[in-house]
Amino acid sequence: MQILDDISTRGFVDLGIYEPEKCISKIALQLGRYLGVRLHANFEQLTTNSTTAKPQNTYAGNYGFSELPLHTDLAHWYVPPRYILLRCVVGDPEVSTLLLHHREVVAQFSEAIVRRALFRPRRRLEGKLFLMRLRDNGIFRWDQLFLTPDNHEARQVRNLMISPHSSFKIMEEVTLAEPGRTILIDNWNTLHGRSLVKTIPSQRRIQRIYFHEEGYDD
Ligand SMILES: [Fe+2]
């Protein structure tokens, strides 16, 4: 029950070094059953490389070793994944995962701005282009790379989010330093990012798996 409490109040759960003898797939199956969500494909292995090593349509290809700005994973999808599970394989004690509950963002704007802000994906998805609200149907989405503001309200949101002076009261930080250290993020309510990577080349390896809400197509 603690997991459900944390996920609804903080928007993520730090599971600590969680059942280190098990693989991420087994843990994801257990958690998925517990949360009533289904797994999206297999896990991916995240490494940190220079921007030239990864495609331009990925975060890694754009930011490399630099700080990854706060974002929703797959924010340009009609329905982004519900939860993200991140698990450390090889840690770097100098690199933190940053987490910001969307209530901190919403608090900076009037209700009207939050309701009206419209974005469009940078590219068409399956040939279709549809507008997306900042917050709609229980999903809060933000991504400065893949979403483009479509109206004045959305530009106001972007200006705040890309400003280095943005001051959010509660920015949480988790360091995935030890093998097995695991966090579960509510991707519909909480933005995440990563501090810059100072040790290059980086040995850091993190596994990631997505969960989808039942009843939604991926
Ligand atoms: Fe991400």
Side-chain angles (χ1 to χ4, degrees):
M1 280 301 120
Q2 189 57 44
I3 292 180
L4 283 177
D5 280 354
D6 276 8
I7 205 100
S8 64
T9 53
R10 294 173 82 189
F12 75 97
V13 189
D14 179 359
L15 293 162
I17 300 174
Y18 189 75
E19 306 197 22
E21 71 290 350
K22 288 190 184 161
C23 65
I24 188 172
S25 305
K26 274 213 171 109
I27 286 167
L29 270 176
Q30 289 171 2
L31 286 171
R33 237 176 265 139
Y34 172 74
L35 295 162
V37 288
R38 70 186 161 79
L39 299 184
H40 169 74
N42 262 325
F43 69 87
E44 297 157 273
Q45 196 97 242
L46 309 177
T47 53
T48 316
N49 298 289
S50 72
T51 49
T52 51
K54 297 277 174 75
Q56 270 295 296
N57 64 346
T58 63
Y59 256 69
N62 280 270
Y63 295 103
F65 299 111
S66 319
E67 186 176 319
L68 288 190
L70 293 166
H71 62 279
T72 304
D73 266 11
L74 301 169
H76 58 296
W77 283 19
Y78 188 60
V79 180
R82 182 72 175 92
Y83 299 108
I84 311 164
L85 188 68
L86 296 177
R87 185 162 168 89
C88 174
V89 180
V90 180
D92 180 339
E94 292 185 313
V95 179
S96 311
T97 300
L98 305 169
L99 299 138
L100 183 72
H101 198 283
H102 84 278
R103 70 171 81 94
E104 296 294 316
V105 180
V106 166
Q108 311 274 333
F109 298 102
S110 68
E111 185 53 40
I113 289 179
V114 173
R115 209 177 47 245
R116 288 183 197 144
L118 281 174
F119 297 88
R120 56 184 174 329
R122 205 172 63 176
R123 286 193 203 89
R124 285 170 190 271
L125 208 60
E126 293 165 3
K128 286 178 251 166
L129 189 66
F130 42 85
L131 294 176
M132 294 161 162
R133 290 189 187 281
L134 180 67
R135 190 180 61 190
D136 192 24
N137 216 5
I139 303 172
F140 179 90
R141 66 179 83 219
W142 165 251
D143 185 310
Q144 67 187 61
L145 193 59
F146 298 116
L147 294 182
T148 307
D150 198 68
N151 60 7
H152 175 66
E153 288 82 358
R155 278 188 287 278
Q156 282 181 264
V157 173
R158 181 180 166 84
N159 289 345
L160 174 91
M161 294 304 290
I162 65 171
S163 158
H165 307 295
S166 298
S167 54
F168 296 108
K169 271 187 269 153
I170 303 169
M171 175 86 79
E172 306 232 36
E173 215 175 305
V174 175
T175 305
L176 296 170
E178 313 88 355
R181 184 78 186 265
T182 304
I183 55 171
L184 178 71
I185 303 168
D186 178 348
N187 192 45
W188 286 5
N189 282 297
T190 301
L191 304 175
H192 65 280
R194 192 211 64 209
S195 64
L196 64 88
V197 176
K198 296 177 196 156
T199 308
I200 298 168
S202 173
Q203 303 302 314
R204 187 173 187 261
R205 262 196 303 144
I206 303 293
Q207 292 173 332
R208 175 181 67 197
I209 201 159
Y210 291 130
F211 298 96
H212 284 285
E213 193 73 56
E214 293 289 357
Y216 285 95
D217 292 332
D218 33 296

